[in-house]
Amino acid sequence: MTDRPSSLLRRTARLAAAAALAAVVTSTPAAAVSPPGIVYFDPAVRAAELARPDRAAAREACLAIARDPAWADLPPLSALEPTDGYGSDNRSAPFSWAVMVLGGRALAGDQASAADLVRLLTRWAEADALAATPVSHDPYYALKRTLLPTIVAYAIVRPGLADAERTRIDDWLADLVPRVDRTFDGDVDHNNHRYLADSVLMAWGALTGDDALYRQGIERYRTALADARDDGSLPLEARRGARALWYTRHALTSLVVMAEIARAHGDDLYGASVEGRGFDLVLSYLTNGLASPALTATYAAANVIPGPSADFHTQDLGFLAERGHGRNYMAFVEAVRLLPPRTAPRRLIALRFDSRTAAERPLIDEYVGGNATCFWAQE
């Protein structure tokens, strides 16, 4: 489905507004990201919170998945490869799962898990893992999906590393991370693929004190808001047929990642807006669609890369439940449900979460960087 000329003009104006706001951000005198060396939180501060009696359930969520000693010796992958048809290379999934589980356990004070995580990261760094990934949107999507939980988990153990260990892992990731800041002359340069890339770049910028990468994340977040329509739909996600809400949720997760990184560094992206379009508006498209999936049909009828089903009238809501590989695509709500003020979209997503998703804790997901319950739960 294409926009009418008036809609295109409005979107052009919104993009111009986003560019103007970004110019204000980037024109600010350069300064190191503050506080330096963290992504979502200071690991020592969160570890102290988790040790409190009133955070016992959150601490248990960090430790809920048992440590597998074999994870420390997972063989490195030299590359992620293109795949035929729908989907992307998932051979790094065991590595991602290991770093997500070990990172959460390390945050809760499990020293054996912390040691295994360092050993695993060091093993992959020494092998220059993933460095031979060919330049193509499909394997690069898989690379982004692997890098985010790697950075988030690494941030948890990095403060305690010796200089040589830190340098080895830093150098490996410093080579891989910039690769995802790439365009492929297509829609993937502007849809959830781009938002995922931006979340990776912003996380790395926050961890390493790269102010340019951090501020680029802020700029890209505002561009995403500028892309939204009046009803909160993101055009390149809402047209995805039966998976319109599925990919809207993908995009929202990356926006939450960027907003949480910003929040940890004193910047409010949840409250940012471009021509009246903010996070809550985009979130409302998801909550409205969940309440009445028929609302998605107008855009979803375009059926652009719809996934397994071509029936755009029936939205694939499989993301609402834990998936077979243990991931839960609603993990991002752990952060959103704590946000003030309690706007209508935030209340609605929290109600759905509390009535259904909370029972599936801990919520672990690559797109949010790990064990979200461990990271954000307050009870």
Side-chain angles (χ1 to χ4, degrees), residues 9-25 217-234 255 268-282:
L9 288 173
R10 288 197 301 272
R11 196 185 313 172
T12 300
R14 294 199 297 271
L15 287 169
L21 285 167
V24 173
V25 171
I218 292 176
E219 175 186 345
R220 292 296 307 173
Y221 183 98
R222 293 182 182 278
T223 299
L225 298 184
D227 286 341
R229 294 188 181 97
D230 294 345
D231 59 3
S233 62
L234 295 167
L255 294 182
D268 179 17
L269 291 184
Y270 287 116
S273 66
V274 177
E275 294 290 299
R277 286 154 180 79
F279 174 79
D280 285 325
L281 183 67
V282 179

Side-chain angles (χ1 to χ4, degrees), residues 103-235:
R105 294 184 64 88
L107 190 59
D110 181 3
Q111 294 303 309
S113 291
D116 281 358
L117 176 57
V118 172
R119 180 174 173 179
L120 175 59
L121 293 174
T122 300
R123 178 179 174 86
W124 280 53
E126 289 177 340
D128 205 13
L130 309 177
T133 299
V135 180
S136 174
H137 73 85
D138 181 20
Y140 264 45
Y141 184 73
L143 180 62
K144 300 167 196 175
R145 195 178 58 212
T146 305
L147 283 174
L148 183 62
T150 302
I151 294 168
V152 173
Y154 178 42
I156 292 168
V157 295
R158 188 173 184 258
L161 297 185
D163 289 346
E165 289 178 310
R166 185 184 304 113
T167 298
R168 186 179 298 116
I169 300 170
D170 276 3
D171 288 349
W172 171 54
L173 291 174
D175 175 64
L176 287 176
V177 169
R179 301 185 189 199
V180 307
D181 193 10
R182 187 181 185 92
T183 58
F184 295 98
D185 299 320
D187 289 341
V188 295
D189 296 334
H190 308 284
N191 70 358
N192 65 86
H193 287 229
R194 180 67 241 182
Y195 306 148
L196 178 57
D198 294 331
S199 70
V200 171
L201 293 163
M202 192 174 181
W204 183 244
L207 181 62
T208 61
D210 188 326
D211 193 68
L213 281 182
Y214 172 78
R215 292 186 179 278
Q216 179 179 319
I218 292 176
E219 175 186 345
R220 292 296 307 173
Y221 183 98
R222 293 182 182 278
T223 299
L225 298 184
D227 286 341
R229 294 188 181 97
D230 294 345
D231 59 3
S233 62
L234 295 167

Side-chain angles (χ1 to χ4, degrees), residues 46 331-335 362-365 368-377:
R46 181 57 176 166
F332 76 101
V333 185
E334 290 281 18
L363 308 184
I364 301 175
D365 179 24
V368 82
N371 188 334
T373 309
C374 178
F375 295 163
W376 289 299

Side-chain angles (χ1 to χ4, degrees), residues 249-271:
R249 196 272 333 149
H250 264 349
L252 273 166
T253 297
S254 293
L255 294 182
V256 167
V257 169
M258 289 186 275
E260 284 297 317
I261 295 170
R263 193 163 70 92
H265 296 85
D267 291 310
D268 179 17
L269 291 184
Y270 287 116

